[in-house]
């Protein structure tokens, strides 16, 4: 791939702008300033710099963010911040999107990508990728509520029933469970359907990828094993970040 095309693919702007960056001496490959936009590159393990800042070539990006409260998963956040505020223009130019949505008051594991196939694989209703949530509830969690959640509940304006797995009471007002679809406000509506109310909600895990170390507001690029774990591929090891 030509260096101008490579820069464009990584979010550095139009082809013209990338040509200008090269012409101005801002681009280096393996420490050597590039002077030709038509230099052909081997993309394997490619490292480059623009204005002295180092980058690694990535065909697609897969990002995990530990989302804080008061951030919306929309570009034009109305009353809060946007989760896209965490990312620079170069990543935004790549067209990263949220893989499913978390409510503004929900914290925890949020994936973002510019890979449409990955997004489909995780959000398509037929794929049933499990998502594990931990929550605090307004009222004490009763045994029959646990059973109802496991058996499945109906939600207004949705077809079928919605059941959770791995429903575990962690404390009188604290519960964790996995859901396998992703309809609007699903967890909050399921808890309301059994007569309780979610007070705080945290996503702990997507597929086999669990959030453990990443601090609130921090994000990382996922490696190959973590991407496979998030996709819930069979025989893939559990991964944590
Ligand atoms: N279910 C909800 O109710 N809210 C979320 O943010 C995610 C799942």
């Amino acid at each position: 791939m030509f260096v101008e095309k490579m820069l464009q693919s990584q979010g550095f702007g139009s082809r013209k702008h990338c040509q200008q960056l090269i012409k101005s001496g801002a681009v280096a490959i393996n420490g050597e300033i590039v002077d030709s936009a038509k230099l052909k590159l081997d993309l394997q393990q490619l490292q480059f710099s623009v204005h002295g800042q180092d980058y690694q070539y990535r065909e697609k990006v897969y990002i995990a963010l530990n989302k804080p409260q008061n951030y919306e998963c929309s570009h034009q956040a109305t009353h809060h911040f946007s989760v896209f505020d965490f990312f620079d223009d170069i990543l935004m130019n790549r067209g990263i999107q949220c893989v499913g949505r978390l409510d503004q008051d929900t914290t925890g594991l949020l994936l973002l990508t510019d890979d449409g196939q990955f997004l489909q694989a995780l959000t398509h209703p037929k794929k049933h990728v499990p998502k594990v949530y931990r929550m605090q509830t307004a009222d004490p969690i009763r045994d029959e509520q646990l059973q109802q959640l496991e058996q499945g509940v109906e939600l207004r304006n949705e077809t079928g029933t919605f059941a959770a797995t791995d429903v575990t009471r962690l404390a009188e007002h604290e519960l964790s469970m996995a859901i396998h679809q992703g309809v609007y406000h699903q967890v909050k509506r399921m808890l309301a359907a059994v007569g309780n109310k979610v007070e705080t909600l945290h996503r702990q895990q997507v597929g086999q990828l669990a959030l453990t170390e990443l601090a609130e507001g921090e994000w990382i690029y996922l490696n190959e094993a973590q991407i496979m774990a998030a996709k819930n591929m069979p025989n893939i090891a559990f991964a944590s970040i």
Side-chain angles (χ1 to χ4, degrees):
M1 188 187 282
F2 292 143
V3 64
E4 60 176 23
K5 190 95 196 289
M6 184 281 288
L7 287 175
Q8 208 185 347
S9 76
Q10 302 300 287
F12 287 89
S14 66
R15 181 176 280 204
K16 194 147 184 236
H17 180 69
C18 294
Q19 285 169 350
Q20 280 162 356
L21 280 175
I22 297 163
K23 227 174 164 176
S24 70
V27 181
I29 308 282
N30 301 326
E32 298 255 330
I33 303 276
V34 175
D35 56 8
S36 162
K38 299 286 182 215
L39 175 73
K40 233 177 163 182
L41 296 173
D42 177 3
L43 301 175
Q44 280 299 99
Q45 315 282 335
L46 176 67
Q47 308 273 349
F48 62 98
S49 69
V50 179
H51 290 304
Q53 165 122 22
D54 292 330
Y55 297 93
Q56 183 187 329
Y57 172 80
R58 295 174 196 275
E59 188 180 349
K60 297 285 176 198
V61 287
Y62 306 87
I63 289 168
L65 167 73
N66 184 351
K67 179 192 166 302
Q69 269 199 341
N70 299 325
Y71 281 80
E72 289 180 14
C73 287
S74 55
H75 286 274
Q76 265 95 40
T78 41
H79 301 295
H80 303 93
F81 303 109
S82 160
V83 292
F84 295 102
D85 295 346
F86 288 105
F87 306 104
D88 64 15
D89 288 349
I90 294 161
L91 268 172
M92 293 305 294
N93 286 343
R94 296 184 64 134
I96 53 170
Q97 294 182 59
C98 296
V99 180
R101 283 177 167 237
L102 291 179
D103 298 335
Q104 75 51 44
D105 55 350
T106 302
T107 58
L109 181 55
L110 178 69
L111 303 179
L112 299 102
T113 188
D114 59 353
D115 179 349
Q117 281 180 357
F118 177 79
L119 198 136
Q120 271 283 317
L122 268 90
T123 54
H124 195 282
K126 288 208 173 118
K127 303 280 183 189
H128 301 293
V129 174
K131 281 142 309 226
V132 179
Y133 290 87
R134 219 178 52 217
M135 69 212 75
Q136 301 278 346
T137 58
D139 298 317
I141 301 152
R142 298 194 311 268
D143 288 347
E144 75 251 30
Q145 294 178 336
L146 301 177
Q147 284 154 16
Q148 281 173 305
L149 289 167
E150 272 183 343
Q151 278 157 10
V153 295
E154 289 182 357
L155 302 178
R156 199 198 296 239
N157 298 328
E158 310 287 355
T159 44
T161 54
F162 294 82
T165 56
D166 301 299
V167 183
T168 312
R169 183 170 38 208
L170 304 168
E172 198 183 16
H173 289 259
E174 193 176 359
L175 175 72
S176 94
M177 67 185 202
I179 61 168
H180 300 258
Q181 308 95 335
V183 300
Y184 182 66
H185 286 175
Q186 184 171 333
V187 173
K188 291 174 185 166
R189 289 162 73 197
M190 286 176 74
L191 267 288
V194 301
N196 209 319
K197 183 172 185 290
V198 171
E199 292 282 2
T200 67
L201 186 59
H202 178 79
R203 184 152 70 186
Q204 188 73 46
Q205 191 174 322
V206 173
Q208 298 299 313
L209 180 70
L211 189 63
T212 53
E213 310 269 310
L214 203 61
E216 262 197 15
E218 266 184 12
W219 64 269
I220 55 161
Y221 289 110
L222 297 181
N223 63 28
E224 203 57 42
Q226 292 163 339
I227 295 166
M228 292 301 194
K231 278 167 101 169
N232 209 35
M233 302 296 275
N235 307 322
I236 284 291
F238 185 80
S240 62
I241 49 174

